[in-house]
Amino acid sequence: MGCFSIKCGLLAGSVFGAVIAILGGILIPVGDMIIERTVKKEAVIEPGTTAYDNWAASEIAIYRQFWFFDVKNPQQVVQEGAFPEVQEKGPYTYKTRYLPKANVTFNPNNTASFVLPIGAIFEPSMSVGQEEDTVTSLNLAVAGAYSLLPPASHILLDMVINSTNSSLFQHRTVKELLWGYHDPILKDTIGLFSPYNGTIDGPYNVFTGKDDISKVSVIDRWRGETKLSFWNDTYCDMINGTDGSSFAPFMDKDVPIYFFSSDICRSVSANYEATMNLKGIEVYRYSLLPSTLASPVENPDNKCFCRNYETTKNCTLAGALDISSCRPIVISLPHFLHGSEYLREVVLGLHPDEEHHKTFLDVEPITGFTLNFAKRIQINMMYGPAKHITVLNKVKDHTVLPLAWMNETATLDDKTADMFKRELLSRLDMLEIVQQVLLIAGVIIFLVCLIAFFCVRRKSKANLG
């Protein structure tokens, strides 16, 4: 009778183990469904969700660091036609995007509209000097007028340059170059980012993801339009993706991400590069491909971005994008990273470095939140030979001269990282642990009880024999 009870107990134990193992197995897809449902719910941009709290606030500090290219031989360039030699000077750091989104409105078509207030606060502790530091740089008015005016106007332009005692180069403070100064030629305030403080970017219209989570944060309209008007081409005028601050959850590393930047007046894509560890959080690093600013010869999709056949050498020049239809500048990656060798041959002192000059985003793949990024852009202007302009008549060829490069960067702080791990990752880890413990424990109990059952039964038969 006792042996019978032991066998029954062992059989019951096997069944119990099997049930636990099955429960653990069932929890895997059920748990994944719960996780997916929870994440998708929290990723929707609407009051009360995690996504909304991150989206609407401005708690994460965003900085813009500027490095200026100080021209060391301005007289030789003007008088002898020498190649300009530059020396990097910086960083000069400003806290930006510290103001929350304004005029937030939720629309019936599951979009949210808003504007981004713009401001900059100088951070001396993160800078090599003061805003009053001087830089020898290209004369913005002279270079701008040269690019915009037809050759027939060059004689008149030369008269204005001479009458205002202006030249191809000028000495300006960091503050003046960035935020503006009164120019004697234009008789107006000009600067690389003038006007800036007190202005806005937008308005933007983005999808909330409430009806389709795959569209969350995707830009529907910018400045009231679904496409740009800078490039006169359907492809180049597309507004693709988000603003880069977040993407749809459950990211696939094999699928590129798309984002629009008003700073460069176009959309770009980034590809998965590597899986990184950011303060204990696994993130996917995405970076721009060299083909982003490649010449149309290498990347035919960029043909519509080539606007000037003369200055781009019949659209064979890579690494510099003329955005004069949007802003009177040429943009590139810092030090002409991924650009044609010619760009660095006619400007001396440039040293591109992939690690320090590339643009990247670190995105948490489950939520789609960007937790760390570095958007690096170089601001250039172009000048060239002009026989009727005194300060340019010694210049031998068109030159894209770097003025400054910018690193707009932000990363989550330790407090936010701990909260992120506690609120999301720890729960995911706990669920995974429970699944594995139940599965493993169930299998062990099932096997131990089953083996013991057969051993007891064999012993029982031997005793009866």
PDB file of all heavy atoms in Angstrom, residues 389-413:
ATOM      1  N   ILE A 389      35.982  92.017 -58.632  1.00  0.00           N
ATOM      2  CA  ILE A 389      35.901  92.238 -57.191  1.00  0.00           C
ATOM      3  C   ILE A 389      37.327  92.157 -56.645  1.00  0.00           C
ATOM      4  O   ILE A 389      37.968  91.107 -56.703  1.00  0.00           O
ATOM      5  CB  ILE A 389      34.995  91.186 -56.503  1.00  0.00           C
ATOM      6  CG1 ILE A 389      33.562  91.247 -57.077  1.00  0.00           C
ATOM      7  CG2 ILE A 389      34.961  91.413 -54.997  1.00  0.00           C
ATOM      8  CD1 ILE A 389      32.621  90.213 -56.512  1.00  0.00           C
ATOM      9  N   THR A 390      37.818  93.253 -56.124  1.00  0.00           N
ATOM     10  CA  THR A 390      39.229  93.365 -55.745  1.00  0.00           C
ATOM     11  C   THR A 390      39.667  92.260 -54.781  1.00  0.00           C
ATOM     12  O   THR A 390      40.739  91.671 -54.955  1.00  0.00           O
ATOM     13  CB  THR A 390      39.493  94.735 -55.104  1.00  0.00           C
ATOM     14  OG1 THR A 390      39.047  95.768 -56.001  1.00  0.00           O
ATOM     15  CG2 THR A 390      40.970  94.921 -54.793  1.00  0.00           C
ATOM     16  N   VAL A 391      38.854  91.980 -53.760  1.00  0.00           N
ATOM     17  CA  VAL A 391      39.272  91.007 -52.736  1.00  0.00           C
ATOM     18  C   VAL A 391      39.186  89.570 -53.242  1.00  0.00           C
ATOM     19  O   VAL A 391      39.572  88.645 -52.525  1.00  0.00           O
ATOM     20  CB  VAL A 391      38.419  91.172 -51.459  1.00  0.00           C
ATOM     21  CG1 VAL A 391      38.640  92.539 -50.842  1.00  0.00           C
ATOM     22  CG2 VAL A 391      36.941  90.922 -51.745  1.00  0.00           C
ATOM     23  N   LEU A 392      38.679  89.384 -54.480  1.00  0.00           N
ATOM     24  CA  LEU A 392      38.546  88.035 -55.022  1.00  0.00           C
ATOM     25  C   LEU A 392      39.328  87.824 -56.324  1.00  0.00           C
ATOM     26  O   LEU A 392      39.357  86.704 -56.848  1.00  0.00           O
ATOM     27  CB  LEU A 392      37.065  87.700 -55.278  1.00  0.00           C
ATOM     28  CG  LEU A 392      36.174  87.527 -54.043  1.00  0.00           C
ATOM     29  CD1 LEU A 392      34.717  87.390 -54.458  1.00  0.00           C
ATOM     30  CD2 LEU A 392      36.599  86.322 -53.211  1.00  0.00           C
ATOM     31  N   ASN A 393      39.950  88.870 -56.843  1.00  0.00           N
ATOM     32  CA  ASN A 393      40.549  88.707 -58.175  1.00  0.00           C
ATOM     33  C   ASN A 393      41.846  87.893 -58.175  1.00  0.00           C
ATOM     34  O   ASN A 393      42.379  87.581 -59.240  1.00  0.00           O
ATOM     35  CB  ASN A 393      40.739  90.064 -58.875  1.00  0.00           C
ATOM     36  CG  ASN A 393      41.647  91.006 -58.111  1.00  0.00           C
ATOM     37  OD1 ASN A 393      42.450  90.587 -57.292  1.00  0.00           O
ATOM     38  ND2 ASN A 393      41.505  92.301 -58.397  1.00  0.00           N
ATOM     39  N   LYS A 394      42.362  87.544 -56.999  1.00  0.00           N
ATOM     40  CA  LYS A 394      43.523  86.656 -56.934  1.00  0.00           C
ATOM     41  C   LYS A 394      43.122  85.193 -56.662  1.00  0.00           C
ATOM     42  O   LYS A 394      43.960  84.298 -56.744  1.00  0.00           O
ATOM     43  CB  LYS A 394      44.479  87.110 -55.822  1.00  0.00           C
ATOM     44  CG  LYS A 394      45.071  88.489 -56.030  1.00  0.00           C
ATOM     45  CD  LYS A 394      46.075  88.501 -57.174  1.00  0.00           C
ATOM     46  CE  LYS A 394      46.765  89.859 -57.268  1.00  0.00           C
ATOM     47  NZ  LYS A 394      47.740  89.918 -58.377  1.00  0.00           N
ATOM     48  N   VAL A 395      41.865  85.000 -56.313  1.00  0.00           N
ATOM     49  CA  VAL A 395      41.378  83.644 -55.990  1.00  0.00           C
ATOM     50  C   VAL A 395      41.373  82.799 -57.257  1.00  0.00           C
ATOM     51  O   VAL A 395      40.921  83.247 -58.319  1.00  0.00           O
ATOM     52  CB  VAL A 395      39.967  83.706 -55.365  1.00  0.00           C
ATOM     53  CG1 VAL A 395      39.391  82.299 -55.184  1.00  0.00           C
ATOM     54  CG2 VAL A 395      40.019  84.447 -54.033  1.00  0.00           C
ATOM     55  N   LYS A 396      41.854  81.573 -57.142  1.00  0.00           N
ATOM     56  CA  LYS A 396      42.025  80.735 -58.338  1.00  0.00           C
ATOM     57  C   LYS A 396      40.841  79.827 -58.632  1.00  0.00           C
ATOM     58  O   LYS A 396      40.595  79.464 -59.785  1.00  0.00           O
ATOM     59  CB  LYS A 396      43.296  79.890 -58.182  1.00  0.00           C
ATOM     60  CG  LYS A 396      44.584  80.708 -58.056  1.00  0.00           C
ATOM     61  CD  LYS A 396      45.780  79.805 -57.866  1.00  0.00           C
ATOM     62  CE  LYS A 396      47.080  80.612 -57.784  1.00  0.00           C
ATOM     63  NZ  LYS A 396      47.115  81.493 -56.598  1.00  0.00           N
ATOM     64  N   ASP A 397      40.112  79.409 -57.608  1.00  0.00           N
ATOM     65  CA  ASP A 397      39.030  78.452 -57.844  1.00  0.00           C
ATOM     66  C   ASP A 397      37.971  78.612 -56.758  1.00  0.00           C
ATOM     67  O   ASP A 397      38.211  79.231 -55.712  1.00  0.00           O
ATOM     68  CB  ASP A 397      39.573  77.015 -57.843  1.00  0.00           C
ATOM     69  CG  ASP A 397      38.635  76.034 -58.544  1.00  0.00           C
ATOM     70  OD1 ASP A 397      37.542  76.463 -58.983  1.00  0.00           O
ATOM     71  OD2 ASP A 397      38.992  74.847 -58.648  1.00  0.00           O
ATOM     72  N   HIS A 398      36.799  78.019 -57.022  1.00  0.00           N
ATOM     73  CA  HIS A 398      35.737  78.055 -56.019  1.00  0.00           C
ATOM     74  C   HIS A 398      36.180  77.281 -54.778  1.00  0.00           C
ATOM     75  O   HIS A 398      36.709  76.175 -54.873  1.00  0.00           O
ATOM     76  CB  HIS A 398      34.453  77.457 -56.583  1.00  0.00           C
ATOM     77  CG  HIS A 398      33.835  78.290 -57.657  1.00  0.00           C
ATOM     78  ND1 HIS A 398      34.034  78.050 -59.004  1.00  0.00           N
ATOM     79  CD2 HIS A 398      33.037  79.387 -57.582  1.00  0.00           C
ATOM     80  CE1 HIS A 398      33.378  78.947 -59.710  1.00  0.00           C
ATOM     81  NE2 HIS A 398      32.777  79.775 -58.885  1.00  0.00           N
ATOM     82  N   THR A 399      35.949  77.891 -53.632  1.00  0.00           N
ATOM     83  CA  THR A 399      36.377  77.299 -52.368  1.00  0.00           C
ATOM     84  C   THR A 399      35.201  77.257 -51.402  1.00  0.00           C
ATOM     85  O   THR A 399      34.538  78.280 -51.185  1.00  0.00           O
ATOM     86  CB  THR A 399      37.518  78.126 -51.731  1.00  0.00           C
ATOM     87  OG1 THR A 399      38.613  78.203 -52.654  1.00  0.00           O
ATOM     88  CG2 THR A 399      37.983  77.504 -50.429  1.00  0.00           C
ATOM     89  N   VAL A 400      34.945  76.081 -50.844  1.00  0.00           N
ATOM     90  CA  VAL A 400      33.941  75.930 -49.784  1.00  0.00           C
ATOM     91  C   VAL A 400      34.696  76.053 -48.468  1.00  0.00           C
ATOM     92  O   VAL A 400      35.432  75.144 -48.071  1.00  0.00           O
ATOM     93  CB  VAL A 400      33.208  74.581 -49.879  1.00  0.00           C
ATOM     94  CG1 VAL A 400      32.169  74.467 -48.769  1.00  0.00           C
ATOM     95  CG2 VAL A 400      32.538  74.431 -51.243  1.00  0.00           C
ATOM     96  N   LEU A 401      34.551  77.191 -47.794  1.00  0.00           N
ATOM     97  CA  LEU A 401      35.344  77.477 -46.602  1.00  0.00           C
ATOM     98  C   LEU A 401      34.538  77.187 -45.333  1.00  0.00           C
ATOM     99  O   LEU A 401      33.462  77.746 -45.126  1.00  0.00           O
ATOM    100  CB  LEU A 401      35.791  78.936 -46.595  1.00  0.00           C
ATOM    101  CG  LEU A 401      36.712  79.322 -45.431  1.00  0.00           C
ATOM    102  CD1 LEU A 401      38.068  78.624 -45.578  1.00  0.00           C
ATOM    103  CD2 LEU A 401      36.897  80.822 -45.351  1.00  0.00           C
ATOM    104  N   PRO A 402      35.060  76.326 -44.459  1.00  0.00           N
ATOM    105  CA  PRO A 402      34.373  76.054 -43.178  1.00  0.00           C
ATOM    106  C   PRO A 402      34.392  77.287 -42.274  1.00  0.00           C
ATOM    107  O   PRO A 402      35.424  77.954 -42.134  1.00  0.00           O
ATOM    108  CB  PRO A 402      35.201  74.923 -42.564  1.00  0.00           C
ATOM    109  CG  PRO A 402      36.013  74.356 -43.681  1.00  0.00           C
ATOM    110  CD  PRO A 402      36.264  75.498 -44.614  1.00  0.00           C
ATOM    111  N   LEU A 403      33.255  77.579 -41.683  1.00  0.00           N
ATOM    112  CA  LEU A 403      33.150  78.681 -40.727  1.00  0.00           C
ATOM    113  C   LEU A 403      33.114  78.147 -39.295  1.00  0.00           C
ATOM    114  O   LEU A 403      33.800  78.660 -38.417  1.00  0.00           O
ATOM    115  CB  LEU A 403      31.902  79.513 -41.007  1.00  0.00           C
ATOM    116  CG  LEU A 403      31.739  80.047 -42.430  1.00  0.00           C
ATOM    117  CD1 LEU A 403      30.445  80.830 -42.560  1.00  0.00           C
ATOM    118  CD2 LEU A 403      32.921  80.920 -42.813  1.00  0.00           C
ATOM    119  N   ALA A 404      32.300  77.111 -39.092  1.00  0.00           N
ATOM    120  CA  ALA A 404      32.179  76.510 -37.765  1.00  0.00           C
ATOM    121  C   ALA A 404      31.515  75.151 -37.918  1.00  0.00           C
ATOM    122  O   ALA A 404      30.824  74.897 -38.910  1.00  0.00           O
ATOM    123  CB  ALA A 404      31.354  77.399 -36.835  1.00  0.00           C
ATOM    124  N   TRP A 405      31.740  74.289 -36.942  1.00  0.00           N
ATOM    125  CA  TRP A 405      30.944  73.063 -36.914  1.00  0.00           C
ATOM    126  C   TRP A 405      30.293  72.919 -35.551  1.00  0.00           C
ATOM    127  O   TRP A 405      30.794  73.399 -34.541  1.00  0.00           O
ATOM    128  CB  TRP A 405      31.747  71.841 -37.320  1.00  0.00           C
ATOM    129  CG  TRP A 405      32.773  71.282 -36.393  1.00  0.00           C
ATOM    130  CD1 TRP A 405      34.090  71.619 -36.326  1.00  0.00           C
ATOM    131  CD2 TRP A 405      32.588  70.222 -35.431  1.00  0.00           C
ATOM    132  NE1 TRP A 405      34.737  70.853 -35.384  1.00  0.00           N
ATOM    133  CE2 TRP A 405      33.845  69.982 -34.820  1.00  0.00           C
ATOM    134  CE3 TRP A 405      31.500  69.455 -35.028  1.00  0.00           C
ATOM    135  CZ2 TRP A 405      34.026  69.017 -33.824  1.00  0.00           C
ATOM    136  CZ3 TRP A 405      31.676  68.489 -34.049  1.00  0.00           C
ATOM    137  CH2 TRP A 405      32.918  68.278 -33.458  1.00  0.00           C
ATOM    138  N   MET A 406      29.146  72.262 -35.560  1.00  0.00           N
ATOM    139  CA  MET A 406      28.282  72.194 -34.385  1.00  0.00           C
ATOM    140  C   MET A 406      28.040  70.744 -34.004  1.00  0.00           C
ATOM    141  O   MET A 406      27.822  69.883 -34.849  1.00  0.00           O
ATOM    142  CB  MET A 406      26.948  72.883 -34.702  1.00  0.00           C
ATOM    143  CG  MET A 406      25.889  72.728 -33.623  1.00  0.00           C
ATOM    144  SD  MET A 406      24.281  73.348 -34.184  1.00  0.00           S
ATOM    145  CE  MET A 406      23.753  71.976 -35.232  1.00  0.00           C
ATOM    146  N   ASN A 407      28.082  70.490 -32.714  1.00  0.00           N
ATOM    147  CA  ASN A 407      27.697  69.195 -32.168  1.00  0.00           C
ATOM    148  C   ASN A 407      26.505  69.420 -31.250  1.00  0.00           C
ATOM    149  O   ASN A 407      26.653  69.925 -30.137  1.00  0.00           O
ATOM    150  CB  ASN A 407      28.857  68.560 -31.393  1.00  0.00           C
ATOM    151  CG  ASN A 407      28.455  67.233 -30.744  1.00  0.00           C
ATOM    152  OD1 ASN A 407      27.616  66.522 -31.262  1.00  0.00           O
ATOM    153  ND2 ASN A 407      29.051  66.918 -29.598  1.00  0.00           N
ATOM    154  N   GLU A 408      25.318  69.077 -31.740  1.00  0.00           N
ATOM    155  CA  GLU A 408      24.131  69.141 -30.889  1.00  0.00           C
ATOM    156  C   GLU A 408      23.986  67.786 -30.228  1.00  0.00           C
ATOM    157  O   GLU A 408      23.842  66.763 -30.907  1.00  0.00           O
ATOM    158  CB  GLU A 408      22.882  69.477 -31.709  1.00  0.00           C
ATOM    159  CG  GLU A 408      21.634  69.606 -30.849  1.00  0.00           C
ATOM    160  CD  GLU A 408      20.406  70.041 -31.647  1.00  0.00           C
ATOM    161  OE1 GLU A 408      20.197  71.261 -31.783  1.00  0.00           O
ATOM    162  OE2 GLU A 408      19.675  69.153 -32.131  1.00  0.00           O
ATOM    163  N   THR A 409      24.032  67.763 -28.910  1.00  0.00           N
ATOM    164  CA  THR A 409      24.115  66.487 -28.220  1.00  0.00           C
ATOM    165  C   THR A 409      23.294  66.483 -26.940  1.00  0.00           C
ATOM    166  O   THR A 409      23.069  67.524 -26.318  1.00  0.00           O
ATOM    167  CB  THR A 409      25.588  66.158 -27.903  1.00  0.00           C
ATOM    168  OG1 THR A 409      25.682  64.859 -27.304  1.00  0.00           O
ATOM    169  CG2 THR A 409      26.187  67.186 -26.944  1.00  0.00           C
ATOM    170  N   ALA A 410      22.856  65.289 -26.571  1.00  0.00           N
ATOM    171  CA  ALA A 410      22.128  65.086 -25.317  1.00  0.00           C
ATOM    172  C   ALA A 410      22.224  63.614 -24.953  1.00  0.00           C
ATOM    173  O   ALA A 410      22.323  62.746 -25.821  1.00  0.00           O
ATOM    174  CB  ALA A 410      20.670  65.503 -25.452  1.00  0.00           C
ATOM    175  N   THR A 411      22.205  63.357 -23.662  1.00  0.00           N
ATOM    176  CA  THR A 411      22.167  61.976 -23.187  1.00  0.00           C
ATOM    177  C   THR A 411      21.369  61.939 -21.900  1.00  0.00           C
ATOM    178  O   THR A 411      21.302  62.931 -21.165  1.00  0.00           O
ATOM    179  CB  THR A 411      23.596  61.432 -22.961  1.00  0.00           C
ATOM    180  OG1 THR A 411      23.527  60.031 -22.688  1.00  0.00           O
ATOM    181  CG2 THR A 411      24.277  62.142 -21.808  1.00  0.00           C
ATOM    182  N   LEU A 412      20.742  60.804 -21.633  1.00  0.00           N
ATOM    183  CA  LEU A 412      19.955  60.710 -20.408  1.00  0.00           C
ATOM    184  C   LEU A 412      20.881  60.714 -19.200  1.00  0.00           C
ATOM    185  O   LEU A 412      21.980  60.156 -19.228  1.00  0.00           O
ATOM    186  CB  LEU A 412      19.073  59.465 -20.420  1.00  0.00           C
ATOM    187  CG  LEU A 412      19.664  58.103 -20.076  1.00  0.00           C
ATOM    188  CD1 LEU A 412      18.534  57.095 -19.896  1.00  0.00           C
ATOM    189  CD2 LEU A 412      20.630  57.623 -21.138  1.00  0.00           C
ATOM    190  N   ASP A 413      20.433  61.369 -18.128  1.00  0.00           N
ATOM    191  CA  ASP A 413      21.250  61.434 -16.917  1.00  0.00           C
ATOM    192  C   ASP A 413      21.078  60.156 -16.099  1.00  0.00           C
ATOM    193  O   ASP A 413      20.258  59.291 -16.416  1.00  0.00           O
ATOM    194  CB  ASP A 413      20.897  62.680 -16.104  1.00  0.00           C
ATOM    195  CG  ASP A 413      19.408  62.763 -15.786  1.00  0.00           C
ATOM    196  OD1 ASP A 413      18.769  61.702 -15.638  1.00  0.00           O
ATOM    197  OD2 ASP A 413      18.883  63.879 -15.694  1.00  0.00           O
TER     198      ASP A 413
END
